[in-house]
Amino acid sequence: NWRLLNDPECASPVRSDFLNDLTDVRAPLLIVSLHWGSAIFGLREIARRFGPTHFVSAPFTKAEFSAFPLRYEFATRMAATIERACGGEQIFTGGGAAAAISEALAAKRNVCALIDVPPHQVGTTSAHEIAGRTMQLPNGLARIAHETGAHVITLLGAPDPAGADQGTEVLDPTGV
């Protein structure tokens, strides 16, 4: 539902208490999440509590979607909606992304990156223990988080079959 990200007055299906355990965490945050999870609806709450959040995204071109114009329209509208919810500008992957991510984190602004991308879109990855789970984190993100002292949190979500609570979970923050 577009209103969940766009309308601050809209009751969110995400528990507003999911960040309460992060009492000792301060910006900048490097939030890692997945594309196909309901956790994206938690980004508005993160921006509200921790400040504007930049969202890392691959750039879209009409040429990529030439056979599917409706998909292009959806992708660009979704990206714009996420940008408004986060309160920070998008950072597009490709040339200059690492510098933009580093600059944002060094300025104590948050960055959210979705890490479930095809391997050909990421230079190299390495395994990192985050909240007791091993995750492949793009090496550039891990290096930047370490250099800037950013707190890394993993934001995952799973819908409740009963439709009540989205079950958003923030795993314990940890340095990389």
Side-chain angles (χ1 to χ4, degrees):
N1 186 329
W2 293 103
R3 271 192 75 211
L4 297 175
L5 287 171
N6 281 323
D7 184 356
E9 302 303 316
C10 180
S12 174
V14 177
R15 293 189 328 261
S16 61
D17 67 342
F18 76 101
L19 295 171
N20 288 349
D21 292 339
L22 301 182
T23 55
D24 62 336
V25 173
R26 301 287 177 264
L29 302 178
L30 173 60
I31 302 129
V32 292
S33 192
L34 307 174
H35 279 84
W36 302 111
S38 55
I40 201 161
F41 294 112
L43 293 175
R44 186 176 71 191
E45 187 65 22
I46 286 174
R48 186 176 303 159
R49 294 211 191 175
F50 295 101
T53 301
H54 298 277
F55 192 78
V56 180
S57 175
F60 302 121
T61 65
K62 278 192 170 185
E64 291 174 277
F65 292 89
S66 61
F68 307 100
L70 191 57
R71 288 185 189 171
Y72 174 77
E73 189 67 27
F74 174 80
T76 56
R77 286 184 186 218
M78 184 62 164
T81 299
I82 291 168
E83 185 175 65
R84 280 191 304 277
C86 290
E89 294 178 359
Q90 288 185 64
I91 295 174
F92 291 106
T93 58
I101 292 167
S102 185
E103 180 182 303
L105 292 172
K108 305 292 187 218
R109 296 187 314 263
N110 308 312
V111 173
C112 178
L114 305 178
I115 61 170
D116 58 334
V117 296
H120 72 276
Q121 292 183 2
V122 179
T124 58
T125 64
S126 56
H128 293 271
E129 184 87 12
I130 299 177
R133 298 179 188 187
T134 301
M135 299 186 83
Q136 290 295 123
L137 194 61
N139 286 341
L141 285 177
R143 179 188 50 77
I144 292 167
H146 178 74
E147 289 173 355
T148 60
H151 291 275
V152 178
I153 63 171
T154 306
L155 184 63
L156 302 174
D160 182 338
D165 181 292
Q166 289 293 319
T168 300
E169 176 184 5
V170 177
L171 301 177
D172 297 331
T174 182
V176 174

